[in-house]
Amino acid sequence: MVDSNKWGMVVDVDRCTGCQGCVVACQSENNIPINLEEHFNQRRAIQWIRIERYWEGEYPDVKARFIPIMCQHCGNAPCEPVCPVYATYHNNEGLNVQVYNRCIGTRFCANGCPYHVRFFNFWEPEWPESLKNQLNPDVTVRSRGIMEKCSFCVQRIQRSTRESERDNEVLEDGDRGLNPACVNACASNALIFGNFNDPDSTVSKMKEDAMQEGGRGYRLMENLGTDTNVIYLKKVDGSVEVTHGY
Amino acid sequence: MIPGDFQPQKPTGTQLAKLGVLGVVLLGVFIGIVLVLTFVISSWLGRPVIFGHDGPEQPIEFPHETHVKELGMDCTFCHRNVEKEAAASVPALGLCMTCHSAVGDELEGITKMRSLYEDGRSIHWVRVHRVPDHVHFVHEAHIRYFSEKEGVEAKAVCATCHGEVAGMDKVRQNRALKMGDCVNCHKQNNAPTDCVTCHY
């Protein structure tokens, strides 16, 4: 048991098959509005987690590479200081929190974020009548004009913390109730969620192993000094260089 | 009389009538503003300032007084999830029917309820308590904390926020349930005041 939690994730790019299971799971867990083709064309689609696809090599020896990207929950987040109303801040559990009630929709944070993981609600979200009852009651439906982003499924963290307190149990590492929806949905265990402050947790061990000299670990855009809470493990076959992608 | 002295003219009949109409209109505007202000203040506080202290009209009269005061039932008997889950929950009609298939033949509401039950429908109760948007309130955690702290049963905790529901003719909201209300109580009890405790 540790005094304070620092939630984080390890993403093993070597295991990712690009199946988009995490994207779908996130979409349904977090009441994310349905992205239509026109929304993508306008670059206004909302995807808290997305799979970026890169092509490696020249035809006929082409390989598709995938990398899941979600909010990195930066320890030194570029989105936080630019918010004029403190709608986004860092809480003591290492989460970069978005407070919907405070947000006035300046979109400064989205411009500040180098990972492109903050999304603005350009429209009032709409669901077809048949899908109205599938909305998750534990998550707010965001209205038009405010920012949203990955919350590491904070509703699940809150629920499992509360339930472990109720039953006098220790919050288990890798508990399915605690894990974000994307982690549970990942078929190849490419995403692992846990507490970095707990030295016995899977993520702490993986981080320690990966970040040492010669390890596979890296952070996205590490040179920016954002001190992210998401650690990526690079692909084992790293012989081919990325030539182009989108 | 000094020549050129100011002589007040006597108002004519039409002028008097115009002034009268103006006065009535201004009075109306004034009353309107007061009513609007009352409404705004009431909705801000979450409860009526002057009139309408009663709760909303429900489709079937449910006298808490009879059930709780006279029969001595626990809050948790009907609101069964209050110690387990976020929502306190209103019971399904089946629970009412455990008694009311035999009791209360003479009451109009019971007849209505029985016919709804037979059709497999439910009563659309009017919601009384509502926290502001983007807030997630969990009954279980609050009941657990206060009953442990004061060493009392769950049913003794409800009144902290809901007031003496047993004495209410129609159930009404007792506390403002605004953020200031919540945060004050959280501070007094050393509960977390991190935004994400409630807002997510």
Side-chain angles (χ1 to χ4, degrees):
Chain A
M1 188 64 192
V2 283
D3 290 341
S4 69
N5 303 316
K6 188 174 184 239
W7 304 112
M9 203 184 273
V10 174
V11 182
D12 192 342
V13 177
D14 193 42
R15 284 167 175 263
C16 181
T17 61
C19 72
Q20 307 266 354
C22 49
V23 180
V24 176
C26 177
Q27 210 86 7
S28 53
E29 167 77 16
N30 291 304
N31 299 340
I32 298 170
I34 295 166
N35 294 317
L36 303 174
E37 191 182 347
E38 51 188 306
H39 301 166
F40 277 103
N41 289 342
Q42 292 179 52
R43 306 283 191 272
R44 288 176 178 185
I46 297 177
Q47 286 182 305
W48 286 11
I49 182 170
R50 67 176 183 273
I51 305 282
E52 288 197 353
R53 184 190 59 191
Y54 295 93
W55 295 111
E56 277 183 12
E58 290 296 320
Y59 180 83
D61 188 23
V62 182
K63 281 174 181 150
R65 301 297 197 209
F66 303 103
I67 179 167
I69 293 182
M70 77 297 288
C71 173
Q72 307 288 309
H73 291 269
C74 310
N76 185 13
C79 55
E80 287 166 8
V82 294
C83 183
V85 291
Y86 304 102
T88 181
Y89 74 101
H90 221 72
N91 82 348
N92 50 15
E93 299 209 322
L95 295 177
N96 179 275
V97 178
Q98 178 75 19
V99 187
Y100 305 126
N101 333 32
R102 282 183 180 170
C103 182
I104 55 169
T106 60
R107 288 180 268 156
F108 294 164
C109 54
N111 293 331
C113 177
Y115 305 102
H116 210 294
V117 289
R118 293 184 147 268
F119 302 93
F120 185 68
N121 282 277
F122 281 93
W123 304 277
E124 202 63 52
E126 276 177 14
W127 284 270
E129 197 56 43
S130 58
L131 286 180
K132 287 258 163 74
N133 289 336
Q134 65 90 42
L135 291 180
N136 185 355
D138 289 338
V139 181
T140 304
V141 172
R142 284 81 52 186
S143 55
R144 184 171 70 99
I146 57 172
M147 297 298 305
E148 62 181 63
K149 63 161 199 75
C150 164
S151 62
F152 270 170
C153 284
V154 67
Q155 70 277 9
R156 293 179 173 223
I157 297 175
Q158 298 286 16
R159 173 181 284 264
S160 19
T161 315
R162 192 169 69 233
E163 283 177 358
S164 65
E165 270 173 27
R166 178 189 69 192
D167 304 336
N168 287 322
E169 285 169 358
V170 179
L171 207 53
E172 262 181 74
D173 179 43
D175 179 2
R176 281 186 71 81
L178 171 71
N179 279 347
C182 54
V183 175
N184 282 349
C186 186
S188 55
N189 286 338
L191 307 168
I192 298 112
F193 181 76
N195 184 359
F196 277 133
N197 273 4
D198 177 4
D200 295 328
S201 69
T202 321
V203 282
S204 296
K205 284 177 184 161
M206 290 181 87
K207 184 185 177 185
E208 198 184 342
D209 188 42
M211 295 310 266
Q212 64 190 355
E213 194 66 34
R216 291 201 287 140
Y218 68 98
R219 290 183 161 102
L220 285 188
M221 302 189 194
E222 206 163 359
N223 55 324
L224 297 178
T226 43
D227 186 25
T228 61
N229 274 338
V230 180
I231 305 284
Y232 283 82
L233 307 185
K234 72 179 171 198
K235 195 119 181 117
V236 175
D237 169 24
S239 56
V240 195
E241 282 204 22
V242 178
T243 51
H244 62 284
Y246 58 90
Chain B
M1 196 184 94
I2 308 155
D5 192 11
F6 176 71
Q7 287 290 317
Q9 279 180 342
K10 268 203 167 170
T12 58
T14 38
Q15 272 174 332
L16 272 179
K18 275 181 189 166
L19 277 174
V21 170
L22 188 70
V24 170
V25 168
L26 281 180
L27 193 68
V29 169
F30 178 72
I31 292 172
I33 289 171
V34 168
L35 281 176
V36 167
L37 273 181
T38 318
F39 176 75
V40 168
I41 294 169
S42 304
S43 55
W44 173 247
L45 292 174
R47 62 181 159 202
V49 186
I50 305 177
F51 48 84
H53 266 288
D54 269 354
E57 201 75 44
Q58 298 290 353
I60 291 177
E61 212 173 295
F62 179 87
H64 275 89
E65 194 161 357
T66 319
H67 290 85
V68 182
K69 262 195 187 157
E70 289 174 23
L71 298 172
M73 285 160 67
D74 271 7
C75 309
T76 51
F77 183 80
C78 294
H79 304 290
R80 335 203 101 183
N81 268 343
V82 78
E83 286 177 279
K84 299 175 201 135
E85 284 292 330
S89 74
V90 176
L93 280 187
L95 189 72
C96 311
M97 288 301 283
T98 49
C99 293
H100 281 295
S101 52
V103 185
D105 289 341
E106 70 285 358
L107 295 166
E108 194 193 328
I110 299 300
T111 328
K112 204 172 156 189
M113 189 188 78
R114 282 177 187 166
S115 70
L116 281 173
Y117 178 71
E118 274 155 28
D119 298 348
R121 286 157 66 201
S122 50
I123 304 174
H124 290 272
W125 299 108
V126 178
R127 190 169 182 154
V128 180
H129 298 88
R130 190 184 285 279
V131 287
D133 288 349
H134 311 287
V135 178
H136 294 269
F137 178 84
V138 179
H139 276 93
E140 183 267 318
H142 292 86
I143 298 273
R144 173 159 45 85
Y145 173 80
F146 281 112
S147 59
E148 273 172 20
K149 181 187 164 202
E150 282 155 31
V152 289
E153 278 184 75
K155 60 176 178 178
V157 178
C158 307
T160 314
C161 296
H162 291 286
E164 283 301 322
V165 176
M168 290 179 196
D169 194 18
K170 290 172 191 159
V171 180
R172 63 173 182 271
Q173 191 170 317
N174 183 54
R175 275 173 87 152
L177 304 182
K178 291 274 168 191
M179 187 166 149
D181 202 8
C182 297
V183 171
N184 279 346
C185 194
H186 268 232
K187 280 182 181 158
Q188 282 164 19
N189 292 294
N190 283 328
T193 48
D194 188 19
C195 307
V196 88
T197 311
C198 307
H199 300 290
Y200 46 83

